Amino acid sequence: SQQGEEDPQALSIQEGENATMNCSYKTSINNLQWYRQNSGRGLVHLILIRSNEREKHSGRLRVTLDTSKKSSSLLITASRAADTASYFCATARNTGFQKLVFGTGTRLLVSP
Amino acid sequence: GAVVSQHPSWVICKSGTSVKIECRSLDFQATTMFWYRQFPKQSLMLMATSNEGSKATYEQGVEKDKFLINHASLTLSTLTVTSAHPEDSSFYICSACAGTGGAYEQYFGPGTRLTVT
């Protein structure tokens, strides 16, 4: 399987704390994307980082990419209860209309 | 903008019947749509790539005769699960691509939960 792996599988923190999720993948990529999924819902695109980028920020999100290690991390700072969701990384090998390979996901629970 | 809808949001059917799921891009045209399935507490697995005006491209291990895909227009793709069985029960999610040049962003529908009894 080409599916990426994420760790931890589940993460439970308190509001205000930071949450870090890691993603490892197996093939060379054009870009890596992070998505969020609330229970039983579709996916929401959070951030995209290209293979020639090392770090990207968007609001409380910080994403890093290390292509030599084929890994990425998503940091959510000052977490809120509303951040409770599953988070998936997805890799795309090519430009253009891309087939995405999703990681196994991290279930984040943020307690008030 | 970039909204994708799916219909129905959930469906229960009996074994042996067929179910059609629609995926629409509401405010943009999508020449390419993707269909995924997701089992409980698992990740999304790509089933097929749907291209407007041509045959879908199926991933390895996905039966094209069981999961019929029709991309009839630039805003509509349908997935028909034929002769459904309980093991087809899953969450089916579509996505549609929008963008020009470079990396394209996929917009995901809200998903359709299929339960086959």
Side-chain angles (χ1 to χ4, degrees):
Chain A
S1 169
Q2 294 301 308
Q3 189 172 41
E5 293 187 3
E6 291 180 60
D7 78 272
Q9 290 187 349
L11 180 61
S12 184
I13 58 175
Q14 299 288 317
E15 266 192 329
E17 295 180 338
N18 296 341
T20 300
M21 291 160 260
N22 302 296
C23 165
S24 61
Y25 56 92
K26 299 180 181 180
T27 66
S28 61
I29 62 171
N30 173 271
N31 66 77
L32 184 146
Q33 304 175 35
W34 284 90
Y35 288 85
R36 163 193 165 134
Q37 182 181 37
N38 287 77
S39 181
R41 303 288 189 89
L43 273 71
V44 174
H45 182 265
L46 295 176
I47 196 165
L48 180 152
I49 185 166
R50 291 180 169 79
S51 60
N52 61 353
E53 297 176 310
R54 291 297 167 257
E55 188 171 312
K56 207 162 184 181
H57 297 255
S58 176
R60 294 185 294 113
L61 305 180
R62 172 176 167 258
V63 169
T64 62
L65 178 64
D66 186 336
T67 53
S68 66
K69 295 181 179 178
K70 291 186 169 57
S71 68
S72 175
S73 68
L74 170 66
L75 167 68
I76 303 174
T77 60
S79 63
R80 306 166 182 168
D83 294 329
T84 295
S86 290
Y87 292 82
F88 295 92
C89 67
T91 55
R93 297 188 69 175
N94 305 302
T95 58
F97 294 134
Q98 307 157 335
K99 289 187 349 178
L100 295 178
V101 176
F102 280 84
T104 50
T106 293
R107 293 191 304 278
L108 174 66
L109 173 63
V110 182
S111 301
Chain B
V3 178
V4 176
S5 70
Q6 280 185 242
H7 178 79
S9 55
W10 59 269
V11 57
I12 301 172
C13 69
K14 293 187 176 181
S15 273
T17 60
S18 294
V19 176
K20 180 184 283 188
I21 302 169
E22 293 185 348
C23 176
R24 293 181 185 271
S25 55
L26 297 184
D27 48 5
F28 66 100
Q29 293 184 331
T31 56
T32 300
M33 293 184 175
F34 297 96
W35 286 96
Y36 299 83
R37 67 187 297 182
Q38 183 181 32
F39 292 107
K41 296 187 178 180
Q42 293 190 25
S43 187
L44 279 76
M45 298 297 292
L46 180 64
M47 298 175 66
T49 304
S50 172
N51 298 297
E52 188 267 338
S54 64
K55 290 183 178 181
T57 304
Y58 290 82
E59 294 301 299
Q60 194 172 9
V62 177
E63 299 176 60
K64 61 180 180 181
D65 294 329
K66 179 160 190 66
F67 298 100
L68 301 179
I69 292 172
N70 186 316
H71 197 145
S73 74
L74 288 172
T75 60
L76 173 64
S77 175
T78 60
L79 168 68
T80 301
V81 183
T82 62
S83 187
H85 291 284
E87 57 265 30
D88 298 324
S89 297
S90 188
F91 194 54
Y92 292 89
I93 304 176
C94 72
S95 71
C97 285
T100 57
Y104 292 77
E105 186 169 329
Q106 286 189 34
Y107 297 93
F108 285 80
T112 296
R113 184 161 304 283
L114 170 63
T115 301
V116 184
T117 61

